[in-house]
Amino acid sequence: MRTRLGRQTVALERPSVILSRAAIGGRQEGEGPLASYFDHLSEDSFFGEKTWEKGESAMQKLALSKALEKGSLTPEDLDYILAGDLLNQCIGTSFGLRDFHIPFYGLYGACSTMGESMALGSLLIAGGFARRVGAMTSSHFCTAERQYRMPVPYGSQRTPTAQWTATASGCVVLGAEGQGPRITAVTCGKIVDKGVTDANNMGAAMAPAAYDTLSAHFAATGTGPKDYDLVITGDLGVLGHQIVGDLFAQDGVDMSANYQDCGMLLYDIQKQDMHAGASGCGCSASVLCGYLLGQMEEGHLKRILFAPTGALLSPTSSFQGESIPAICHALTIEK
Amino acid sequence: MRTRLGRQTVALERPSVILSRAAIGGRQEGEGPLASYFDHLSEDSFFGEKTWEKGESAMQKLALSKALEKGSLTPEDLDYILAGDLLNQCIGTSFGLRDFHIPFYGLYGACSTMGESMALGSLLIAGGFARRVGAMTSSHFCTAERQYRMPVPYGSQRTPTAQWTATASGCVVLGAEGQGPRITAVTCGKIVDKGVTDANNMGAAMAPAAYDTLSAHFAATGTGPKDYDLVITGDLGVLGHQIVGDLFAQDGVDMSANYQDCGMLLYDIQKQDMHAGASGCGCSASVLCGYLLGQMEEGHLKRILFAPTGALLSPTSSFQGESIPAICHALTIEK
C-alpha cells in the first residue's frame, strides 16, 4: 500500500487534474471582493424558480453545466458525480443533478463536502475506476436560514459569532489526464467533538476538526505550513480561524504567515456586516472554484492546502442538548 | 481502465472480502421471520437513550462495535468508515460514530446507503487505499415517522401502499484479504425520476431506479438473473417488487425465479400488518448483514446481486409538489 501515508492520508501517485471549474453566486457574493472570479452571479435569490430550495437546485445545475461547458465536455464524459449539500436529505443535489443521468454517489459532509467530493473523486481516478469525475456542492442563505435557524422574513437578530451562509455553488471536473492544477494528496478527516454546543458559533465547533486534519496531513506528508503558498480552511470564519492558529501555536507551529479561511475572504466582512464571516458548503466551494483556482491559473499560487470543515449537527441534535461533532477533509493542490 | 465495464460498473480484480458483519434490530424485527439472524434485538425502542434520535445513534454504535468484536478487530484496524442514514444531516451516523475516531466519509444515499457504502468501500480497497473499511447505515421507525410523516403518538392511519421503516442497523467490515464472501463487481446508480409524487408509495417511485441499475449491471457483466442464486433489491416492498418484475418482463427478462426484496422478507407482512412491507436504510442493511450473509455462510446461497434502492426526496420537496428522484446501487457478492 505504498501510496498510503499513515492512516488518513493518501499521496496520489496518479494525481487527478482539475480540468474545469465553475463558481456560481448570489447578490451578496456579487458585492464581495471575490465577485470577479465567479462565472455567474444572480441578482434573483430564486434563480428563476418558485422556491429557494428549487433555486438551490437550479444553482447546482448551473454550476455543473458551466463546468462542463468550460471544459468542452458533456454529461456523458463524466463517469461519476460526487455531491451533496446542507438541505435535509440533500435535495439541492438530488433535484439539481437528476436530469444529467450521471452515475452518482451522494455525500453528506456538511460544509466539508467540497473537500470530501474532491478527495473521493481523486481516489476513484487514482484507482483507475474513472476517467473523469464531477465534484460539487452548494448552499443557499435562505434555505439554510429557514431550516437551521429562522425563516428569513422573521428578521431575527444575529449574534456576533454568527456566520452568513453563502448562496453559492462550486463544481470541478477532475480527470485522469489533461492540463490543470493537480490534486497530489488527500487526507480524510475524523469526527472531532470538543463539546461546543453553541450552534451560533460554528467556527469554535469546527476549529478542532481543522486542527486535527491539518496536523495529520502535515505529519503524514512531512510538510508544514511553510511548504504551501496558502493553507486555507473552509468556513471557520474569524473566530474559528483564530482558534486554529492558537491550537497550532501551542504545538510551536506558526500559522500566521500563510493561513487563511474562505469564510474570511468571500465577503467584505465589515462593509457587508457579515459578523464572523461566511459559511455553508458553497463558501469554500465557490472560493476554491473561483478565486483560489483563478489565483493558481494566474500564477499567484503554486501549491495550496485546501481544508474545508463541516459541522455534523442538526437542529434536532441541538434541541436535544447535544454538542457539535465536526469534520475536515484536506487536499494538496499544486500546479 | 481494464476493470471498468461500461460507465457504471467496475469488476473488481481485487475483490474485497466481507470480514465481519453485524445486524441490530428492534421489537418488530424480533417478531419477524429473520429474527434469529440478528446479533442483537432490543425491546427498548430508545436503546437505553432519552430520545429516539439518540437511540438510533446508539444502534449504529452497537452495530459497529459488534462487527468489530465478531471480527476480533479494534476501531484502529479500520482505515475508513463510510456511513450515512435518513435523519436530517445524518445525525444517526455522526453522533453514533464520533467516539470511534475512524477516518470518516459521510454518505447520503437514503435507503441505498448500504449499497453505496459497500461499493465505495470496495473501490477504496481495490484501489489500494485501504486495508479495511467499515460500511454501515441505520434507520429507526420512530425517528423516521416524526421526520417524514407524523409523530407516532398521533396514530395516523397508513395507506395500503405504505411501508414500515425498519428499526435496524447493519454493518460490515470489508478487507483487502482474509476469509469471507467477496464483493466482485459494483454498479453505481444514476438518479431516476419517473414522475411519481406519492410519498406513501415509495416502491413505485424507486422501482424504475432498481430496474435501471440492475439492467446496467446485467449488461455490463454479461449476466442475467439466472446467474445469481438471488437478485435482491433493498426496500421496494410488495408493489415495487412487482413493478421491477413487470419492467423486466417487457424486456423479455424473467425475474420470477429468484428475485426478492428485503422489504418483503424482514417482517411477516400479513401477521405483523406491515402493508407493503419494510423500508428504511436499516431494512436492506440488516437483512444483508443478518439473513443474506448468514445464508451464504450456511452454504444456501453462493452468488447474490444485492441492490438497495433509495428515494432522494424530503418532506420539503414533496410539499413543493416535486416528484421523487430515486437511486439504486448494486453489488455482486459471492463465496
Side-chain angles (χ1 to χ4, degrees):
Chain A
M1 221 85 51
R2 62 201 190 289
T3 52
R4 291 186 65 237
L5 303 173
R7 191 178 178 204
Q8 295 175 253
T9 302
V10 176
L12 296 166
E13 287 180 1
R14 194 177 347 184
S16 62
V17 183
I18 300 174
L19 296 174
S20 185
R21 60 187 169 88
I24 310 295
R27 188 167 55 84
Q28 303 283 359
E29 293 67 34
E31 292 170 0
L34 309 185
S36 66
Y37 289 95
F38 279 84
D39 293 282
H40 179 84
L41 290 161
S42 174
E43 277 292 316
D44 169 20
S45 66
F46 290 93
F47 286 80
E49 299 290 334
K50 284 194 172 167
T51 70
W52 285 317
E53 286 76 15
K54 289 181 196 234
E56 184 167 348
S57 291
M59 193 164 57
Q60 281 211 20
K61 212 183 246 185
L62 199 56
L64 176 54
S65 300
K66 272 277 172 204
L68 289 171
E69 182 194 317
K70 286 170 72 181
S72 304
L73 297 163
T74 67
E76 290 69 36
D77 292 320
L78 301 191
D79 294 322
Y80 298 106
I81 189 144
L82 304 173
D85 60 87
L86 285 174
L87 291 178
N88 297 345
Q89 288 74 55
C90 298
I91 55 169
T93 300
S94 52
F95 288 88
L97 302 185
R98 69 177 159 181
D99 295 332
F100 290 92
H101 308 294
I102 302 168
F104 169 64
Y105 284 124
L107 307 181
Y108 186 73
C111 304
S112 75
T113 302
M114 197 65 200
E116 184 183 356
S117 63
M118 291 173 75
L120 278 170
S122 295
L123 294 174
L124 288 175
I125 287 172
F129 308 122
R131 290 158 308 174
R132 281 182 222 94
V133 176
M136 66 183 302
T137 189
S138 67
S139 58
H140 192 298
F141 176 74
C142 301
T143 65
E145 282 301 302
R146 68 175 168 191
Q147 179 178 284
Y148 285 106
R149 285 162 288 262
M150 291 284 177
V152 176
Y154 286 17
S156 298
Q157 231 178 339
R158 304 160 63 77
T159 67
T161 56
Q163 293 168 250
W164 186 275
T165 306
T167 298
S169 177
C171 176
V172 293
V173 176
L174 307 178
E177 46 198 32
Q179 294 301 311
R182 284 156 192 273
I183 299 169
T184 54
V186 302
T187 295
C188 177
K190 298 175 187 174
I191 300 171
V192 175
D193 186 340
K194 294 293 185 195
V196 173
T197 53
D198 182 359
N200 288 309
N201 190 353
M202 294 290 191
M206 298 191 293
Y211 165 73
D212 191 78
T213 296
L214 290 174
S215 301
H217 188 90
F218 290 147
T221 55
T223 61
K226 285 182 188 130
D227 296 305
Y228 302 90
D229 297 324
L230 186 66
V231 175
I232 186 148
T233 44
D235 58 344
L236 297 179
V238 179
L239 283 163
H241 175 265
Q242 177 69 46
I243 295 169
V244 169
D246 290 351
L247 289 169
F248 273 107
Q250 287 175 10
D251 294 345
V253 176
D254 179 15
M255 295 286 280
S256 63
N258 56 352
Y259 169 45
Q260 264 291 359
D261 181 76
C262 296
M264 295 166 69
L265 300 179
L266 185 58
Y267 304 122
D268 184 325
I269 294 180
Q270 298 303 325
K271 216 175 92 190
Q272 293 184 271
D273 189 23
M274 290 302 185
H275 295 40
S279 71
C281 304
C283 169
S284 60
S286 67
V287 171
L288 176 78
C289 296
Y291 173 69
L292 293 171
L293 292 173
Q295 287 277 302
M296 290 188 93
E297 214 166 274
E298 292 162 16
H300 306 306
L301 294 170
K302 288 218 171 91
R303 192 188 203 207
I304 68 170
L305 180 52
F306 176 63
T309 39
L312 303 173
L313 83 169
S314 83
T316 302
S317 67
S318 291
F319 291 155
Q320 295 181 2
E322 274 291 0
S323 53
I324 303 171
I327 197 159
C328 170
H329 301 292
L331 304 105
T332 305
I333 308 174
E334 46 195 318
K335 262 191 104 165
Chain B
M1 222 84 53
R2 62 203 190 286
T3 52
R4 290 186 65 237
L5 304 173
R7 191 180 179 204
Q8 294 175 253
T9 302
V10 176
L12 296 166
E13 287 179 0
R14 194 178 346 184
S16 62
V17 183
I18 301 175
L19 296 174
S20 184
R21 60 189 169 89
I24 310 295
R27 189 167 56 83
Q28 303 284 358
E29 293 67 33
E31 292 170 0
L34 308 185
S36 66
Y37 289 94
F38 278 84
D39 292 281
H40 179 84
L41 290 161
S42 173
E43 277 292 317
D44 170 21
S45 66
F46 290 93
F47 287 78
E49 298 290 334
K50 283 192 173 169
T51 70
W52 285 317
E53 286 76 15
K54 290 180 196 234
E56 185 168 347
S57 291
M59 194 164 55
Q60 282 211 20
K61 212 183 246 185
L62 199 56
L64 176 55
S65 300
K66 272 277 172 203
L68 289 171
E69 181 195 316
K70 287 170 73 181
S72 304
L73 296 164
T74 67
E76 290 68 37
D77 292 320
L78 301 190
D79 294 322
Y80 299 105
I81 190 145
L82 305 173
D85 61 86
L86 285 174
L87 292 178
N88 296 344
Q89 288 74 54
C90 298
I91 54 168
T93 301
S94 51
F95 288 90
L97 302 185
R98 69 177 159 180
D99 295 332
F100 290 92
H101 307 294
I102 303 167
F104 168 65
Y105 284 125
L107 308 180
Y108 186 74
C111 304
S112 75
T113 303
M114 197 65 200
E116 184 183 357
S117 62
M118 291 173 75
L120 279 170
S122 296
L123 294 173
L124 288 177
I125 287 173
F129 308 123
R131 291 157 310 174
R132 281 181 224 93
V133 176
M136 66 182 303
T137 188
S138 67
S139 58
H140 192 301
F141 177 74
C142 302
T143 65
E145 281 302 301
R146 69 174 169 193
Q147 181 178 283
Y148 284 107
R149 285 162 288 263
M150 291 284 177
V152 176
Y154 286 15
S156 298
Q157 231 179 340
R158 303 161 62 79
T159 67
T161 56
Q163 293 169 251
W164 186 276
T165 306
T167 299
S169 177
C171 176
V172 293
V173 176
L174 307 177
E177 45 198 33
Q179 294 301 309
R182 282 154 193 274
I183 299 169
T184 54
V186 301
T187 295
C188 177
K190 298 175 188 174
I191 300 171
V192 176
D193 186 339
K194 294 294 185 194
V196 173
T197 53
D198 182 359
N200 288 308
N201 191 354
M202 294 290 191
M206 297 191 292
Y211 165 73
D212 191 77
T213 297
L214 290 173
S215 301
H217 188 89
F218 290 148
T221 55
T223 62
K226 285 181 188 131
D227 296 305
Y228 303 89
D229 298 325
L230 187 66
V231 175
I232 186 150
T233 44
D235 59 343
L236 297 179
V238 178
L239 283 163
H241 174 266
Q242 177 68 47
I243 295 168
V244 169
D246 290 351
L247 289 168
F248 274 107
Q250 286 176 11
D251 294 344
V253 176
D254 179 15
M255 295 286 280
S256 62
N258 56 354
Y259 168 46
Q260 264 292 0
D261 180 77
C262 297
M264 295 167 69
L265 300 178
L266 185 58
Y267 305 122
D268 184 326
I269 293 180
Q270 298 302 324
K271 215 175 95 191
Q272 294 184 269
D273 190 22
M274 290 302 185
H275 295 42
S279 69
C281 304
C283 169
S284 61
S286 67
V287 171
L288 175 79
C289 296
Y291 174 69
L292 293 171
L293 292 173
Q295 288 276 301
M296 291 189 93
E297 213 166 276
E298 293 162 14
H300 306 308
L301 294 170
K302 289 218 171 89
R303 191 187 203 206
I304 68 171
L305 181 52
F306 176 62
T309 38
L312 303 173
L313 82 169
S314 82
T316 302
S317 67
S318 291
F319 291 154
Q320 296 182 1
E322 273 292 359
S323 53
I324 303 171
I327 198 158
C328 170
H329 301 292
L331 302 105
T332 305
I333 308 175
E334 47 195 318
K335 262 192 102 164

